[in-house]
Amino acid sequence: MTSKKALLGKLFISTFYLSTFTFGGGYVIVTLIKKKFVDEYNEEEMLDLIAIAQSAPGAIAVNGAIVTGYKLAGLIGALVAILGTVIPPFIIITVISACYAAFRDNAIVSGMLKGMQSGVGAVIASVVYDMGIGIVREKDPLSLLIMAGAFIASCICKINVIYIILFCGALGLILSCFQKGDC
């Protein structure tokens, strides 16, 4: 029981810390959660967790915390991870909204946020590389084709990401059905 409490405490403190000091949205926090908790899992399992977090409705940071918390400590772990992830932005947004006029016109805050955009871009590029390299290493032509097709559909053809996710999910369901011989 003590080890479960220790795990839940570590889960809360870690998600609270990551959520407090992470700028750039869900993809940034997901990669940090991976480094903090999930390095003992293989790359394929991590890609599955990220896919679940992306596909579920809601913020990817919260979804990532849910799947990680659930994987580590079950339902109570998911709830603890949600609290640790949601409380810091709630507090920060509450403070910022109370002081909005002062922050809006502050040159230092504005400059700091512009500088953070570059760092966020680099972290997101790192996440894309880490996720993509796993698919490339498998050398599965179908996976490479799906990845390239999703990229072209999103970036070049400007197809809504929801349609791409739904299509890829349906395609994955069909492929797994054929691989298992259920179809």
Side-chain angles (χ1 to χ4, degrees):
M1 189 68 174
T2 306
S3 64
K4 180 95 170 186
K5 284 184 180 181
L7 176 63
L8 292 174
K10 179 183 178 189
L11 185 63
F12 179 81
I13 290 169
S14 297
T15 54
F16 188 91
Y17 174 81
L18 289 172
S19 186
T20 301
F21 297 106
T22 302
F23 293 91
Y27 290 104
V28 176
I29 200 167
V30 165
T31 192
L32 295 175
I33 287 173
K34 176 192 177 291
K35 288 179 181 174
K36 192 80 170 167
F37 292 109
V38 195
D39 281 339
E40 67 260 21
Y41 302 117
N42 63 35
E43 283 296 315
E44 185 176 322
E45 193 169 18
M46 186 58 203
L47 287 173
D48 290 344
L49 292 175
I50 292 171
I52 291 168
Q54 283 179 293
S55 301
I60 191 170
V62 175
N63 294 342
I66 290 170
V67 296
T68 303
Y70 186 79
K71 185 76 175 171
L72 294 174
L75 185 59
I76 191 74
L79 294 173
V80 166
I82 289 170
L83 285 174
T85 304
V86 171
I87 290 173
F90 179 76
I91 293 170
I92 292 167
I93 289 171
T94 301
V95 170
I96 288 175
S97 68
C99 307
Y100 176 71
F103 283 121
R104 179 185 60 204
D105 299 328
N106 189 317
I108 294 171
V109 172
S110 179
M112 187 174 72
L113 291 174
K114 284 185 181 185
M116 284 184 204
Q117 287 176 349
S118 300
V120 167
V123 171
I124 291 174
S126 172
V127 170
V128 169
Y129 175 79
D130 289 343
M131 291 172 65
I133 199 70
I135 293 171
V136 172
R137 282 187 189 137
E138 286 179 16
K139 296 181 183 164
D140 177 22
L142 185 58
S143 294
L144 293 171
L145 183 66
I146 293 170
M147 183 174 71
F151 176 79
I152 290 168
S154 176
C155 294
I156 296 173
C157 299
K158 305 292 185 202
I159 295 174
N160 191 318
V161 175
I162 293 171
Y163 299 126
I164 297 169
I165 291 171
L166 290 174
F167 176 78
C168 289
L171 184 62
L173 183 65
I174 292 167
L175 290 174
S176 79
C177 181
F178 278 113
Q179 286 175 348
K180 290 181 181 177
D182 294 339
C183 295

